Amino acid sequence: VQLVESGEGLVRAGESLKLSCSFSGFTFDDFVIGWFRRAPGKEREGLGCINSIDRSVDYTGPVKGRISISGDYDKSTVHLLMSNVKPEDAGVYYCAAIDGVTFGVMWPEKFEQVGSWGKGTQVTVSS
């Protein structure tokens, strides 16, 4: 599985942020893609995930309520949209995937244990 994150590297506080995760190489039709981030000096945290089978999504963490995850599977891409970006949203954003599974609740530990990861994309927030 290969994952590549992309999107705006610099965003103003209060504006919206859109990131994309291009994926390839899945063996199975069922897989889950999750979004994570690591803020400076903090551990990586899970933000949400999307299930390939029914496109169901689940969100978690401090940004719940400000993010939306969607999938464009014809283009092999999953998007993360964050509204009202705050300075504390700065960090490296990652997408990760687990092949051959389906679950509807964000499960960060599972991704950390067996997931495939992109290299991440840096997001800077200007005030």
Side-chain angles (χ1 to χ4, degrees):
V1 176
Q2 293 79 43
L3 304 162
V4 179
E5 303 91 342
S6 63
E8 304 118 317
L10 177 64
V11 62
R12 284 178 176 266
E15 295 185 343
S16 294
L17 168 71
K18 184 176 182 179
L19 300 176
S20 299
C21 173
S22 298
F23 60 82
S24 63
F26 285 106
T27 298
F28 302 98
D29 291 335
D30 53 335
F31 53 89
V32 182
I33 292 178
W35 279 99
F36 296 74
R37 73 179 182 189
R38 188 195 303 274
K42 295 187 177 181
E43 293 188 354
R44 186 159 58 190
E45 61 180 348
L47 304 177
C49 66
I50 184 168
N51 183 320
S52 69
I53 295 299
D54 59 8
R55 312 297 199 259
S56 62
V57 294
D58 185 51
Y59 306 107
T60 190
V63 299
K64 186 176 182 179
R66 291 195 292 121
I67 65 168
S68 174
I69 296 174
S70 62
D72 186 344
Y73 290 87
D74 290 340
K75 296 182 179 180
S76 299
T77 305
V78 167
H79 302 289
L80 170 73
L81 180 64
M82 179 183 292
S83 62
N84 190 23
V85 173
K86 305 176 186 300
E88 54 265 37
D89 293 322
V92 180
Y93 283 71
Y94 302 87
C95 60
I98 305 175
D99 197 3
V101 299
T102 178
F103 51 85
V105 178
M106 183 53 175
W107 194 0
E109 296 81 5
K110 193 70 172 178
F111 284 97
E112 297 286 358
Q113 290 169 2
V114 300
S116 299
W117 291 81
K119 293 182 179 180
T121 186
Q122 177 72 48
V123 172
T124 301
V125 181
S126 64
S127 57

